[in-house]
Amino acid sequence: MTVSTFLRRFEDSDVAMTVYGPPTTATAAERLASQGLNASWQELPTGNQNAFVVIHRNGAFAETVPLTALQAFLCQPTIGSDDYGTPDSDPGRQLLRSALANTLLSSLTPAQLLATSQEFEDRAYRVGAGTLRVSFQSLSIFRSQRARYETLASDTALDIHVYGQADWEPPTIPGITFHPLTDDALESVWLLAFDAAGDDQNKCALVAEETEGGPFRGVWTYHPRLVDEIMTAVVAVDE
């Protein structure tokens, strides 16, 4: 399974989103459309803080999320520190992640991917066991995340595997196995997959591919079978 092949399976996702709010919120629908989503705006006589987004999937109601959560993700994703928050620290963000799961987004920025990755890392930290596989494209990129991953490794029983192009010799870190790659299988891929030690309720994965124009297109999922499939594919890259 290549990343491109995997992502093509989500190209026909039937997701429609309607933004309800004052005229100042119309730009949110435009930003959603730039992600390749079917998005529209409906005026509602309310303030920005009370605006919301209704999401339909396959013609049926799926979720309602606060517009503030969507705007934070689209415009200024929250990037965590080395601290690991509680699962319900941001209910709006949790709703948004759930609502957009298994939805192909066509113009993701590194900041959006990093925010999503950190949420999944937080989940792995809270579970405290299982295997976490991460692709940093190039191993040298890991340096900016080293402190965070050292905390993940030292505070938990996680089995962490980091993949990337062999452009840097990583240090020895207990609990972390590095996989230097010499081919281009994951060169343009941003990937994180967590098997939650077999707990289907906590499995999660993010897969994104850098496009020629610069942004990434990708999808995240909580579906156990898809997460298992991604985990297996990553292992095969280094065999």
Side-chain angles (χ1 to χ4, degrees), residues 37-112:
L37 297 172
N38 178 7
S40 60
W41 169 75
Q42 293 289 327
E43 185 170 2
L44 193 69
T46 185
N48 284 2
Q49 292 301 312
N50 294 320
F52 59 92
V53 182
V54 175
I55 302 172
H56 286 81
R57 187 181 293 273
N58 298 321
F61 172 80
E63 190 63 80
T64 298
V65 299
L67 181 60
T68 51
L70 179 64
Q71 288 174 322
F73 177 73
L74 290 174
C75 303
Q76 192 174 5
T78 301
I79 306 299
S81 63
D82 294 335
D83 298 325
Y84 293 87
T86 59
D88 300 319
S89 58
D90 189 339
R93 186 177 64 185
Q94 297 292 329
L95 281 173
L96 179 64
R97 294 272 189 263
S98 177
L100 291 180
N102 305 318
T103 301
L104 182 65
L105 302 178
S106 61
S107 186
L108 290 165
T109 66
Q112 290 167 335

Side-chain angles (χ1 to χ4, degrees), residues 88-209:
D88 300 319
S89 58
D90 189 339
R93 186 177 64 185
Q94 297 292 329
L95 281 173
L96 179 64
R97 294 272 189 263
S98 177
L100 291 180
N102 305 318
T103 301
L104 182 65
L105 302 178
S106 61
S107 186
L108 290 165
T109 66
Q112 290 167 335
L113 291 171
L114 184 58
T116 305
S117 296
Q118 290 190 349
E119 179 163 328
F120 289 173
E121 291 161 1
D122 291 351
R123 175 178 291 213
Y125 184 89
R126 294 190 298 269
V127 173
T131 300
L132 177 66
R133 299 188 184 276
V134 186
S135 167
F136 280 99
Q137 296 182 289
S138 298
L139 287 181
S140 60
I141 298 176
F142 174 80
R143 288 179 292 190
S144 65
Q145 301 298 310
R146 176 175 174 175
R148 185 172 176 85
Y149 271 78
E150 285 179 334
T151 300
L152 269 174
S154 64
D155 287 4
T156 71
L158 290 169
D159 181 19
I160 302 172
H161 294 259
V162 176
Y163 300 77
Q165 293 296 301
D167 65 341
W168 174 65
E169 185 173 345
T172 299
I173 302 175
I176 301 179
T177 302
F178 292 93
H179 300 264
L181 303 177
T182 55
D183 59 25
D184 59 358
L186 296 177
E187 186 176 14
S188 61
V189 175
W190 188 310
L191 183 148
L192 185 150
F194 175 51
D195 71 358
D199 177 5
D200 286 350
Q201 296 300 313
N202 278 303
K203 290 181 179 180
C204 56
L206 164 68
V207 180
E209 181 179 50

